[in-house]
C-alpha cells in the first residue's frame, strides 16, 4: 500500500469534512499536497520574517498590544495592568545592589504572558508553547509547537496509542488506538487488504480507570445535614413546600446557607446568588417535602456545575431518603451518600461484644 493510499484510507475515518492528503517525506516533515496549502505556507514564511521569538530585548509592548490566539484578538491589558506594561514587572531575582524595598523593574517577556494565559488556556504549557511577537502588527502570537517524536505516544512492535490521527500516519502499527471527539477510544486495525476502525473494548499499555468522585475536603458533618433537615421539615410541615440550601467550605469548616428563594409544593427557586472568594461551594441541596427523593427534569436543567447536588425526600419520616450526584459534561454521576456525609452511627473505636456469638464464625455454631 502506498503512503498516499494508506493515509487516505486512515483519514477516511474522520467524521466530517474531506481531509487533505499528507505526504511523508521520510524526514519527519509533512506538507499538504494542494496548491492552497503551498500558498498558505509561502505566505506564512513571508509573515514570519517580521516575527521575533520570545527574546525580552526585542519586545516593545504597550497598552495597545494584542494577543492573537484561538481566533480572538485579546488585549494585553486582560493579563497585565497598564502600569505593568508601561513600567515593567518586579524582578523576582534582585542583585546584590538591589534592596527588598526597591526592586528592579524589567520588561514583560513572552514567558510572562504565557504563564498568565495558561490559567485560561491550559494547553499553553511551557513545554509545548513558543511565544512570538509581530512588531509591525503589535501582536503577540502563542504557537503550540509539535511534540518531539514519540512524546505523547505509546509505541510497541504491534500496537501504538496516539493523541492524533496524524501521529498514527507517521508512526503506523498493525493495531492503533486514537481518541475520537465523542470521548471514545477507537481501534484501527491494519491488514493486507483492510483498514478497520471501531470503538475499542480495551486499550493496551494505559492505566485502567474507573468513574468516581473524591471529596477534597473532609466529609460533611452529620450536624450540617441535620440543620438542613430541621429547615426542610419546617417548610414541609407548615407549608407543604420544598426548600433549597447551599453548603460551603471555608477556614471555619462547613457552613449551611439558606439563600433568599421562592418555594412551593413542587418548586424552590433561589433569587439570591451568593459569592464569597473565601468560601467554596461544595453542595446544593433541596427537599422534596413528603415525596420520594429523586432528581426531576427541572433539576437536570438547573444542576449542570461540577459540584455536589443532593435531594432529600420524605423529610417527615423518621429516616428521610437522600440521593447525591454530580455533573460533568452534561452527564450525571450518582454518588453514595456515605462517601459525602459523616454518619452518626459510625464509631472510631473497635467494638467488642464477647457475649455475642455469631453462628458459623470461626467454627462456632452457637448463637
Amino acid at each position: 500500500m502506498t503512503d498516499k493510499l494508506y493515509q487516505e484510507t486512515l483519514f477516511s475515518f474522520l467524521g466530517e469534512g474531506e481531509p487533505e492528503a499528507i505526504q511523508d517525506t521520510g524526514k519527519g516533515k509533512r506538507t499538504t499536497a494542494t496548491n492552497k496549502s503551498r500558498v498558505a505556507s509561502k505566505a506564512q514564511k513571508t509573515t514570519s520574517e517580521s516575527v521575533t521569538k520570545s527574546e525580552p530585548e526585542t519586545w516593545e509592548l504597550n497598552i495597545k498590544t494584542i494577543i492573537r490566539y484561538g481566533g480572538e484578538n485579546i488585549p494585553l491589558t486582560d493579563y497585565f495592568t497598564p502600569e505593568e506594561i508601561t513600567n515593567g514587572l518586579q524582578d523576582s531575582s534582585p542583585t546584590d545592589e538591589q534592596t527588598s524595598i526597591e526592586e528592579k523593574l524589567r520588561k514583560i517577556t513572552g514567558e510572562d504572558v504565557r504563564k498568565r494565559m495558561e490559567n485560561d488556556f491550559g494547553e499553553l504549557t511551557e513545554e509545548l508553547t513558543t511565544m512570538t511577537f509581530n512588531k509591525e502588527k503589535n501582536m503577540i502570537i502563542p504557537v503550540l509547537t509539535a511534540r518531539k517524536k514519540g512524546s505523547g505516544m505509546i509505541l510497541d512492535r504491534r500496537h501504538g496509542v496516539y493523541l492524533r490521527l496524524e501521529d498514527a500516519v507517521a508512526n503506523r502499527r498493525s493495531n492503533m488506538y486514537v481518541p475520537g471527539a465523542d470521548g471514545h477510544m477507537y481501534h484501527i486495525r491494519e491488514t493486507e487488504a483492510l483498514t478497520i476502525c471501531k470503538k475499542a473494548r480495551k486499550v493496551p499499555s494505559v492505566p485502567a480507570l474507573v468513574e468516581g468522585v473524591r471529596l477534597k475536603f473532609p466529609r460533611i458533618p452529620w450536624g450540617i445535614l441535620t440543620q438542613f433537615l430541621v429547615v426542610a421539615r419546617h417548610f414541609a410541615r407548615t407549608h407543604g413546600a420544598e426548600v433549597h440550601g447551599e453548603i460551603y467550605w471555608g477556614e471555619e469548616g462547613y457552613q449551611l446557607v439558606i439563600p433568599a428563594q421562592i418555594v412551593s409544593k413542587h418548586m424552590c427557586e433561589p433569587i439570591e446568588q451568593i459569592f464569597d472568594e473565601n468560601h467554596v461551594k461544595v453542595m446544593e441541596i433541596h427537599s422534596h417535602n413528603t415525596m420520594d427523593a429523586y432528581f426531576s427534569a427541572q433539576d437536570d436543567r438547573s444542576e449542570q456545575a461540577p459540584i455536589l447536588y443532593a435531594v432529600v425526600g420524605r423529610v417527615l419520616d423518621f429516616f428521610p431518603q437522600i440521593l447525591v450526584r454530580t455533573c460533568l459534561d452534561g452527564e450525571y454521576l450518582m454518588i453514595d451518600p456515605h462517601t459525602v456525609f459523616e454518619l452518626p452511627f459510625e464509631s472510631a473505636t473497635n467494638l467488642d461484644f464477647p457475649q455475642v456469638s455469631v453462628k458459623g464464625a470461626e467454627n462456632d455454631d452457637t448463637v
Side-chain angles (χ1 to χ4, degrees):
M1 181 184 295
T2 65
D3 284 348
K4 182 176 181 181
L5 180 59
Y6 171 83
Q7 292 153 10
E8 289 177 348
T9 301
L10 205 56
F11 280 111
S12 68
F13 295 121
L14 290 173
E16 297 179 359
E18 290 296 330
E20 297 173 348
I22 294 181
Q23 296 178 346
D24 193 339
T25 63
K27 299 181 180 180
K29 299 180 180 179
R30 297 186 294 276
T31 57
T32 54
T34 62
N35 291 331
K36 179 179 179 180
S37 297
R38 282 196 289 267
V39 172
S41 298
K42 185 179 294 184
Q44 184 177 6
K45 182 177 180 181
T46 302
T47 306
S48 65
E49 294 177 355
S50 61
V51 176
T52 59
K53 293 184 178 180
S54 53
E55 298 175 357
E57 62 272 18
T58 63
W59 288 51
E60 298 294 337
L61 307 180
N62 53 60
I63 59 174
K64 293 184 179 180
T65 301
I66 61 174
I67 304 169
R68 181 65 180 177
Y69 186 69
E72 296 183 67
N73 288 335
I74 306 171
L76 183 62
T77 51
D78 281 7
Y79 294 99
F80 298 88
T81 66
E83 290 75 17
E84 289 177 324
I85 297 173
T86 303
N87 301 325
L89 303 178
Q90 290 184 344
D91 193 342
S92 59
S93 303
T95 62
D96 294 337
E97 293 77 16
Q98 295 172 247
T99 66
S100 59
I101 300 177
E102 297 178 355
E103 292 186 325
K104 181 180 179 181
L105 297 179
R106 59 173 178 79
K107 290 184 178 181
I108 296 173
T109 67
E111 179 61 11
D112 297 324
V113 180
R114 185 202 64 77
K115 285 181 178 179
R116 298 199 181 184
M117 291 187 68
E118 189 177 5
N119 294 326
D120 293 331
F121 305 97
E123 68 274 15
L124 296 180
T125 62
E126 182 179 5
E127 178 187 4
L128 299 180
T129 308
T130 299
M131 304 297 292
T132 60
F133 178 63
N134 188 314
K135 187 174 182 180
E136 294 179 0
K137 296 183 178 181
N138 196 18
M139 178 186 296
I140 299 171
I141 308 169
V143 178
L144 285 175
T145 58
R147 297 190 176 201
K148 295 180 181 179
K149 187 174 181 181
S151 179
M153 297 182 291
I154 301 174
L155 301 179
D156 206 340
R157 290 185 61 186
R158 295 183 177 83
H159 74 261
V161 182
Y162 312 88
L163 291 179
R164 305 179 309 156
L165 202 58
E166 289 84 353
D167 294 333
V169 170
N171 302 273
R172 66 188 70 172
R173 294 294 188 273
S174 298
N175 293 281
M176 297 173 289
Y177 300 85
V178 184
D182 58 1
H184 293 284
M185 202 73 174
Y186 283 84
H187 178 192
I188 301 175
R189 176 73 167 93
E190 281 291 315
T191 71
E192 282 188 311
L194 300 175
T195 301
I196 307 169
C197 180
K198 66 179 291 293
K199 290 180 181 178
R201 288 185 295 177
K202 61 180 182 179
V203 182
S205 303
V206 296
L209 303 177
V210 295
E211 292 184 334
V213 176
R214 182 174 62 86
L215 190 60
K216 292 186 175 181
F217 308 121
R219 286 189 297 171
I220 300 172
W222 178 258
I224 295 291
L225 181 58
T226 302
Q227 290 178 28
F228 178 76
L229 286 173
V230 170
V231 177
R233 287 174 186 266
H234 166 73
F235 279 94
R237 184 179 294 111
T238 307
H239 307 286
E242 301 182 356
V243 69
H244 169 90
E246 299 175 0
I247 298 176
Y248 291 82
W249 169 265
E251 291 183 357
E252 67 281 8
Y254 284 104
Q255 179 182 1
L256 172 67
V257 176
I258 306 297
Q261 56 192 284
I262 300 173
V263 302
S264 67
K265 184 177 181 180
H266 301 289
M267 176 270 296
C268 51
E269 180 182 1
I271 57 176
E272 174 188 13
Q273 297 296 325
I274 300 174
F275 175 77
D276 183 354
E277 62 181 9
N278 297 319
H279 292 80
V280 178
K281 181 190 285 190
V282 177
M283 172 181 284
E284 291 184 3
I285 183 171
H286 71 280
S287 63
H288 269 189
N289 49 66
T290 58
M291 297 182 293
D292 290 337
Y294 68 93
F295 291 103
S296 66
Q298 179 59 52
D299 295 337
D300 290 345
R301 290 189 291 270
S302 303
E303 300 176 350
Q304 295 285 321
I307 63 173
L308 296 175
Y309 295 100
V311 56
V312 182
R314 297 190 175 276
V315 298
L316 297 181
D317 289 0
F318 190 77
F319 286 108
Q321 301 173 348
I322 183 167
L323 296 176
V324 183
R325 69 177 181 178
T326 190
C327 183
L328 183 64
D329 296 333
E331 297 184 354
Y332 298 97
L333 185 64
M334 299 300 298
I335 304 171
D336 185 347
H338 293 81
T339 65
V340 175
F341 294 101
E342 291 181 353
L343 293 179
F345 316 112
E346 294 179 344
S347 174
T349 60
N350 293 327
L351 300 178
D352 186 18
F353 296 94
Q355 71 274 27
V356 178
S357 299
V358 180
K359 187 176 181 178
E362 296 182 356
N363 299 321
D364 187 354
D365 292 334
T366 59
V367 178

